[in-house]
Amino acid sequence: MTTMGAGMDGKVVRRHSTLLAATALAATLVLTGCGAGDDSGSKDSARSAAEAPAKAGEANRDAAAADAAGAAGAGAADLRVDQRAIIYTGTMRVQVDDVDAAARETTAIATRAGGFIGGDQRRSADADAVAELQLRVPAPKFAGVVEEIAKLGRQQNREINTQDVTEETVDLDARITSQRARVDSARRLLTRATSITDLVSLENELGRREADLASLEAKKRRLADLTALSTITVSLAGPAAKAADEKAETGFLVGLKGGWKAFVASLTVLLTVLGALLPWLVALGVPLGVLLVVLRRRRKIPALVGPVSAPPPVPAARSAP
């Protein structure tokens, strides 16, 4: 009996030990789960905090990517001779017999080439008439138009200039691509604004970026216009018209001639002034001269007529003694 009681007591102790162990294990698991939950929440908070500055720098990343894309595009640009952007400008002077007829023919040449007249100035209508026309013609037709105009009369001078703006054009393209990316980034950030302060700040930034983009696009259009249409300034001079670009002469004789011309011009001015004053001198000088003569004569009359002296006294006759 004693042995059986001892066995029963041992079983009860083992059961209590097992229950305690199970309870401790369950508590450990619960604590472990809570800790894992806390760690997960901490990780989520840390991730949110890390994403905040990342979102704030999104515009800069987009801009940097756009810059890289623009630079890659610039490096891959085709810079062959037939693909370069070149601005052609020319000036020429042609002496013709009939300025008006030559001007009409010049206009027809520009129109046939696909261009137009950008300016038309004419002076006089006689033999010394001069007409200055500004032509805008397509760049591929530039040389042909110049040669046709030179055949209208006797060419006196010609000057052709070229300006290669290929690098400037490529740079503008890259800057426009980058600026467009900046504008898009600012617009995306504007839709995420959560306060009035952020909204106003982003609107100002977006307006500034759009203004910069518009300026770059205007420069691109100007370059495109200059490269697509060349400019030719044509001076059509009559038979008696003097050359506008006469060379300046130097030397002693040139100086003497200039001095003589200045002396003659000064003398002419002096004679002109004297001629303008002569009527006044006659109108005022003659009466004044007559008055002076009359006054001078009046002063001389008393000097010529001397004072009348009394006759000497006659001595009294003496009586005889």
Side-chain angles (χ1 to χ4, degrees):
M1 292 293 293
T2 305
T3 305
M4 292 179 61
M8 291 295 292
D9 293 336
K11 291 180 180 180
V12 170
V13 170
R14 285 195 297 270
R15 287 178 181 176
H16 283 293
S17 299
T18 304
L19 290 174
L20 290 174
T23 303
L25 179 60
T28 302
L29 291 176
V30 170
L31 292 176
T32 303
C34 293
D38 293 340
D39 292 341
S40 177
S42 300
K43 291 180 180 179
D44 292 339
S45 301
R47 188 179 300 108
S48 300
E51 288 177 355
K55 291 180 179 179
E58 184 177 352
N60 295 330
R61 291 199 304 272
D62 292 343
D67 290 338
D78 190 358
L79 300 181
R80 294 177 300 175
V81 175
D82 57 343
Q83 298 295 329
R84 301 189 74 86
I86 300 177
I87 299 175
Y88 295 92
T89 57
T91 58
M92 56 190 307
R93 182 182 176 91
V94 181
Q95 189 174 31
V96 296
D97 296 332
D98 190 343
V99 173
D100 291 336
R104 288 192 295 270
E105 182 61 26
T106 301
T107 303
I109 292 174
T111 304
R112 287 196 300 268
F116 58 92
I117 302 297
D120 188 345
Q121 296 181 358
R122 306 190 188 192
R123 297 189 299 271
S124 182
D126 301 327
D128 59 345
V130 176
E132 293 185 0
L133 305 178
Q134 188 179 59
L135 313 181
R136 300 297 307 279
V137 297
K141 304 292 185 64
F142 177 81
V145 170
V146 170
E147 293 298 332
E148 287 189 45
I149 295 174
K151 296 177 181 179
L152 296 178
R154 187 172 64 88
Q155 181 177 262
Q156 293 182 336
N157 58 56
R158 177 194 297 188
E159 182 177 355
I160 305 298
N161 297 316
T162 60
Q163 181 182 1
D164 191 347
V165 293
T166 305
E167 294 182 1
E168 186 175 356
T169 302
V170 173
D171 179 66
L172 272 178
D173 290 338
R175 292 172 63 187
I176 288 173
T177 302
S178 175
Q179 194 62 26
R180 284 175 179 169
R182 290 189 176 99
V183 170
D184 294 338
S185 175
R187 288 173 178 170
R188 287 195 300 270
L189 293 177
L190 184 61
T191 60
R192 303 175 188 175
T194 57
S195 65
I196 298 299
T197 303
D198 294 342
L199 182 63
V200 173
S201 177
L202 288 172
E203 284 180 347
N204 293 335
E205 180 65 18
L206 178 60
R208 185 183 65 81
R209 294 185 180 186
E210 288 178 342
D212 294 340
L213 177 60
S215 176
L216 293 175
E217 290 177 343
K219 291 181 180 179
K220 178 64 182 300
R221 288 193 298 269
R222 176 61 178 169
L223 278 180
D225 176 71
L226 292 176
T227 54
L229 294 176
S230 302
T231 303
I232 308 174
T233 303
V234 182
S235 296
L236 302 173
K242 295 182 180 179
D245 55 347
E246 294 180 351
K247 295 182 179 180
E249 299 179 355
T250 58
F252 175 76
L253 295 178
V254 175
L256 181 60
K257 182 187 295 185
W260 176 253
K261 289 182 179 180
F263 172 73
V264 171
S266 302
L267 185 60
T268 303
V269 173
L270 180 61
L271 292 176
T272 302
V273 174
L274 181 59
L277 294 177
L278 185 59
W280 295 93
L281 293 176
V282 173
L284 299 177
V286 172
L288 184 60
V290 173
L291 182 59
L292 291 176
V293 170
V294 170
L295 292 177
R296 192 173 295 177
R297 287 182 179 180
R298 286 184 179 181
R299 290 179 181 178
K300 290 181 179 180
I301 290 176
L304 294 177
V305 179
V308 178
S309 60
V314 179
R318 293 183 179 181
S319 60

